[in-house]
Structures are given as C-alpha cells and as structure tokens.
Amino acid sequence: PLFDWVGTVVGIHSWIGEDVQTNTHAGVSGFVEDWKRLLGSERWGRLLPPPRMREGAPLLGIVFENGVGDVRIDTVVPNSAAEAANLRVGDVILRVDGLRVTAAEFRQYLPRLKAGDEIVLDVLRGRQELFARVELGAVSELPFVTARGKQVLEEQAEAFFGAFGRVTGSLGSGVVYVFVGKRPVGYGMVWEGNRVLTKWSEIEGAESLSGLDAAGRSFGLRVVEVFAEEHDLAVLEPVGKGVLLEAMALEEEMARAGELVAAVRPDGVPEGVGVVSVRERSLLEEDRGFLGVALEPEFRGPGALILDVTPKGAAREAGIEGGDVILELDGRTVDGFQELKTLLNRAGPGQAVSLRIRREEEELVKVAKLQGNPMEKAPLGRRARMMDTMDERGLSRVRDYFSRVIQTDMTLRPNECGLPVVNLEGKAVGMVIARAGRVKTYVLPVGLIRELFSRPDN
C-alpha cells in the first residue's frame, strides 16, 4: 500500500520502473470494488506490462477500454489535458472532430496528431451532450506522467528539499570533501575532537589525503584509526595545528523508523531526503534470530507449514515438530513463509518468542529461545540482484556485513558516503556508510560511533 503522511492508504504500488523516479501506483479510489471482488476469490483478466509511450507524443490523459464499443472514460490522469478540459470518469466520447468513433478507432486517431494540437470532443455525460475543446499535452520521459505532471513533481520536490534546506542550511561547516590526491572520493563528517569520519574502503591504500571545508580551506588529512571489519569506518584528523573544524550536533535518541532525515553537503544543501525505512539493526547472519525450521514456501496458509526441524535448534528444544503450522509469533498473525521470515529477522539470538501452532486438530502455544544463525547468508536471487542494480547511480563496493546500521530510502551515489544524516531538528543521527541497493542506503548510527570511541583502547 501507498500511504499519505497521516497513514491513509491512497494507492497500491503497481509497477517499479527502470530508475528510482519511475515508480507507478494504482490509485485506491478506482480499486475498491475490484478489491471486494478479489477478497471474494474472483480472478479475471491478464496481467500485462505497462505500455512504452514515446516521449513527446500527443497525450489526452484518459484511460478507456479498447474495442468496438464506446469510448467510456475509466480514469482521468491528473495534470493532463483531459483534466484541464473538465473531462470526468464515466463520460462517453461520441465524436472527435465531428467523426463518430469507437474505442479502437479513437486509439488509432490520436497518434496521427501532435502535442499542442486542438481537438473537439462530443461527450455524453449522463443524458447531457457536451462539447469540449482540448489542447493535447505531451508524454514526458517519466512513464504515465504528463509533461505538466512532471513539472508539478519537480516543483513539489524543490519545495520539499527547500523545506529541509531551512534545517540544514547552517550545518555545512560540519562536513568536508575528502580527496585522494586530486580525486574526490567522498565526504567526511566532523566529529568531536577535531576528527573527521569517512568510509575506509574508499581511501584504503591512499598515499595522499586532503580535505576541503565549507569555507574553502584546503588541508591535509591523515588516518589515525580504522574500524574496518564490521563498520568500514576510518577516523581522520587534519594535518597541522591551525585547522579547527566545527563538529556536528549529535542526536541522543536512536532514529525511529519512519523519521524524516536528510544527508547534508558542505554547502548546507540536502543531497538526499528520505525516511528511516528500517531501524538500527545488524546485517550479520549470526546476529539474526534462528528458530531452526525448514518451511514449505508453497503452503497457502493460514500460517506457515514446518517441513522439518533442525536437531538441537530452538524449535526442537521448544517441542515443535515437522508438520506443525505456525499461526502466530508473539501475538502477530503469520500468513505464510515470507511473513514468518520477516518476523524472525527482527528478533535476535537469545530472545524468547511465543509461537501459537496448529498440530493436526489441536492448537498449542510453545515458547522458543532463538539461537544465532549458523548458516551463511544466502546469495541474492537474480530478480533481487536486478532490482538492486537497475539504478544508474551504482552501488558501493563494500555494502554489507555491517554489525549495526540504520537503513534509509535515500538514493545517494557511492561517492557520497561520509555525509552526515540529520533529523528535522538538525542533529546528526548517523553517517552514510554505503549505497547498498536501489532504495537502500546504510547509515552508521551515532550511538555506535560513540561506543567505538569509548572503548578502553581508545
């Protein structure tokens, strides 16, 4: 589901495009009746890929069924020529430029025209016949978005980034550009004690490091400490006594899922704005809760069907058997294989979970103390790899196996690692450490960095 800011469903994610700007959503208003049919187990039609529409082609901005029948409008595209002409859902187009047309004929007529041409439509609305003069719009490079719609999106994005810019405008002094030789490789977040934090794998082996701050001062940098194994984090300091940098203000509380955040450049402009999509967690397999069951992925529920139980695993110790169906985990309804995996991934080793199971005709409650996952992380499937790599910005070379990260949906470039990530109060919640997927950017939390610096050997 696609939600607005107050939690109301306004649409359904329908199709993921070839880059992060072309996600398409089916509006919920026209879907309610079909939803009722789906809930009644009714199935109909065929799933077809969205049409490829040529940029600049003429666009009226309506959706209708093809065929020999009337042109009955099912949808009016926002910010389109049809909306400007006050066409409505349910209207029937009888004639175009005086010619009687079927739906199939109308679909063939429009491509003969060009954007900016005016057409006259004879429209039946209820029992009233109306005439509408319509100046055709143009298809933008964004699928299903009109040229005017694209302009509206750009205006909204500018307003949104501008609103966050009022928070971040004065924060650029806490960020520096990081160079290897003369080549920019990323950014550094200024930490207390005149330290600069950046991504280690981008500077590893560099013979010459330098920084450039918001005031235009250039200075040398040297590596003073590295936390490479689980964090890919390097700690730098300016070379010389005269360079004093201004540290970022730090947030004391852990970032919450759904919280708005921005990555701040040295000029104070947000490089990316997004939300915390997954709260702080470990990506290490041994830090994931392990129940020790093999599940039937094709089982249609309700619940998740256990095929087998791992010897000496948490499930076996709790008295769970092959053939049991897990109905709930800690009071959360389990509706299939993937949902149970998701719920277990949120739990850690040592955590006790309550499982309501069905065994033949009997329902039982079992408590299992999860263990650490002894298995290697499964490689991504072909489709998941394709989804992660379809954006032209690319991914970081080191982007996995972090022991503690926050995940956001900001779409940054790999060479933008090291940027501080701040909340609406202008306080840093972490530092960008990896671009890991199409809408997946990892952030090292400030709480983790504090802990690293407070270790006895530091």
Side-chain angles (χ1 to χ4, degrees):
L2 177 69
F3 295 92
D4 64 14
W5 290 114
V6 296
T8 304
V9 175
V10 296
I12 294 171
H13 293 279
S14 171
W15 173 58
I16 296 176
E18 294 179 354
D19 62 67
V20 294
Q21 306 302 323
T22 55
N23 290 344
T24 303
H25 317 288
V28 75
S29 58
F31 196 71
V32 175
E33 290 303 317
D34 287 344
W35 181 249
K36 293 176 181 177
R37 293 170 65 189
L38 288 169
L39 289 178
S41 301
E42 188 177 348
R43 301 290 183 267
W44 67 94
R46 293 183 300 134
L47 182 64
L48 298 174
R52 298 280 181 182
M53 299 180 70
R54 177 174 52 86
E55 182 182 354
L59 184 68
L60 175 58
I62 63 172
V63 177
F64 58 92
E65 290 290 331
N66 200 9
V68 296
D70 291 332
V71 184
R72 181 177 296 276
I73 298 175
D74 294 326
T75 303
V76 177
V77 176
N79 304 301
S80 66
E83 184 183 66
N86 198 33
L87 296 182
R88 301 177 185 175
V89 173
D91 286 352
V92 177
I93 298 175
L94 303 175
R95 297 175 182 83
V96 54
D97 292 335
L99 300 174
R100 178 79 186 191
V101 288
T102 64
E105 291 166 341
F106 188 54
R107 196 177 295 276
Q108 294 173 356
Y109 184 85
L110 288 177
R112 301 172 190 168
L113 307 173
K114 61 181 183 295
D117 284 351
E118 185 179 84
I119 59 175
V120 178
L121 300 177
D122 184 356
V123 178
L124 182 65
R125 180 174 296 163
R127 295 183 179 180
Q128 184 180 12
E129 194 167 330
L130 308 168
F131 290 91
R133 291 184 179 275
V134 186
E135 182 179 326
L136 295 176
V139 175
S140 78
E141 73 270 22
L142 303 181
F144 303 115
V145 179
T146 66
R148 171 57 187 154
K150 180 193 173 193
Q151 181 183 348
V152 170
L153 288 175
E154 290 173 345
E155 290 170 354
Q156 290 174 341
E158 183 177 351
F160 186 55
F161 273 67
F164 227 122
R166 289 192 287 273
V167 176
T168 63
S170 62
L171 303 179
S173 55
V175 197
V176 300
Y177 297 96
V178 176
F179 296 82
V180 171
K182 295 184 178 180
R183 179 172 59 91
V185 294
Y187 295 87
M189 172 182 169
V190 182
W191 192 265
E192 300 157 344
N194 214 33
R195 291 173 286 195
V196 176
L197 311 182
T198 194
K199 186 172 173 68
W200 167 241
S201 57
E202 293 299 321
I203 63 169
E204 185 178 5
E207 295 182 1
S208 173
L209 285 173
S210 61
L212 180 70
D213 69 5
R217 295 182 300 172
S218 181
F219 45 87
L221 290 169
R222 64 186 175 198
V223 179
V224 294
E225 195 161 9
V226 175
F227 302 96
E229 186 174 345
E230 296 179 6
H231 313 298
D232 199 22
L233 176 66
V235 183
L236 316 176
E237 67 178 13
V239 176
K241 297 181 179 180
V243 182
L244 294 177
L245 302 174
E246 185 175 336
M248 295 290 298
L250 305 179
E251 176 58 69
E252 297 296 327
E253 302 293 330
M254 186 183 300
R256 304 182 309 276
E259 185 175 2
L260 275 169
V261 291
V264 188
R265 298 190 324 215
D267 58 5
V269 174
E271 183 60 42
V273 175
V275 299
V276 175
S277 47
V278 184
R279 66 187 183 183
E280 186 176 318
R281 63 180 171 137
S282 171
L283 302 182
L284 303 178
E285 285 300 301
E286 58 265 31
D287 289 339
R288 295 173 184 259
F290 186 66
L291 182 60
V293 295
L295 301 173
E296 170 53 70
E298 302 301 323
F299 182 68
R300 296 304 176 192
L305 174 62
I306 297 174
L307 295 177
D308 197 10
V309 178
T310 304
K312 299 182 180 179
R316 178 66 61 99
E317 291 180 359
I320 296 172
E321 303 173 358
D324 290 348
V325 176
I326 299 176
L327 303 174
E328 288 183 0
L329 188 149
D330 284 342
R332 296 284 299 273
T333 300
V334 172
D335 191 15
F337 168 77
Q338 288 295 342
E339 186 163 2
L340 180 60
K341 283 183 61 178
T342 299
L343 292 173
L344 286 171
N345 280 342
R346 295 174 182 170
Q351 181 174 333
V353 295
S354 174
L355 299 159
R356 185 168 68 87
I357 65 172
R358 185 178 69 240
R359 180 175 296 166
E360 297 180 349
E361 302 301 321
E362 185 181 8
E363 287 195 7
L364 307 169
V365 175
K366 301 287 186 179
V367 176
K369 187 175 182 180
L370 300 179
Q371 301 173 355
N373 193 341
M375 304 172 67
E376 287 291 326
K377 186 170 184 177
L380 289 175
R382 184 180 66 84
R383 178 172 177 79
R385 289 197 307 272
M386 179 185 72
M387 293 299 296
D388 265 355
T389 57
M390 63 169 42
D391 184 37
E392 72 283 356
R393 293 169 179 82
L395 304 179
S396 299
R397 288 182 293 110
V398 176
R399 58 180 183 270
D400 212 339
Y401 298 105
F402 297 104
S403 63
R404 280 169 62 186
V405 287
I406 300 164
Q407 182 175 320
T408 84
D409 64 350
M410 289 187 291
T411 54
L412 302 173
R413 293 175 175 82
N415 63 2
E416 289 166 344
C417 290
L419 289 172
V421 175
V422 303
N423 57 21
L424 284 169
E425 295 179 357
K427 295 182 178 180
V429 299
M431 185 199 83
V432 176
I433 197 61
R435 174 75 193 282
R438 183 171 177 271
V439 285
K440 189 163 57 178
T441 293
Y442 291 142
V443 175
L444 289 184
V446 294
L448 165 68
I449 300 170
R450 280 196 184 101
E451 290 176 20
L452 294 177
F453 287 143
S454 64
R455 289 177 178 176
D457 55 350
N458 286 297

